Amino acid sequence: QVQLVESGGGLVQTGGSLRLSCAASGSIFSANAMGWYRQAPGKQRELVARITYDGGRTNYADSVKGRFTISRDNAKNTVNLQMTFLKPEDAGVYYCNRWPFPEVWGQGTLVTVSS
């Protein structure tokens, strides 16, 4: 059964930090690049960070480059997103999924950034 469970979201002030975590089922996680996606209110879901299967390469959207760090633990089937210097425009629901062909989406985790 395909399963993605995101956690770690919350309310944070501008400039603050959050660490998101995602537990993925083996069918999604194994041998696949993974990504963190964000959907802000009224906007389309966008990819903010991705990481290769072995963790050797990462890519970031320009809007988060230098502030977010994606990592993964293949032994635990988890992928994380460390977010620092958060801005109000970083707010939204964050999802993890396979990249570039996402599976069924999980419920996501809500990030709210107060100004």
Side-chain angles (χ1 to χ4, degrees):
Q1 181 177 356
V2 172
Q3 191 170 18
L4 291 157
V5 180
E6 299 92 349
S7 62
L11 172 64
V12 64
Q13 291 186 332
T14 295
S17 300
L18 282 174
R19 182 177 177 83
L20 307 184
S21 294
C22 170
S25 63
S27 63
I28 296 176
F29 201 82
S30 60
N32 285 315
M34 294 292 293
W36 276 97
Y37 301 75
R38 172 175 71 198
Q39 187 163 24
K43 295 188 177 181
Q44 287 191 331
R45 189 176 288 150
E46 61 173 340
L47 178 72
V48 296
R50 58 184 168 95
I51 186 167
T52 52
Y53 166 68
D54 63 0
R57 285 196 302 176
T58 57
N59 289 88
Y60 300 90
D62 287 343
S63 60
V64 307
K65 204 170 292 184
R67 300 186 297 119
F68 289 13
T69 303
I70 188 171
S71 62
R72 68 190 292 164
D73 185 336
N74 287 350
K76 296 181 179 179
N77 280 13
T78 58
V79 57
N80 303 304
L81 186 69
Q82 179 68 47
M83 307 188 296
T84 61
F85 301 104
L86 282 160
K87 305 175 181 180
E89 52 263 44
D90 293 321
V93 180
Y94 283 71
Y95 304 86
C96 72
N97 213 320
R98 188 174 63 175
W99 182 87
F101 304 111
E103 295 273 1
V104 175
W105 296 94
Q107 292 191 330
T109 186
L110 177 64
V111 172
T112 305
V113 184
S114 64
S115 56

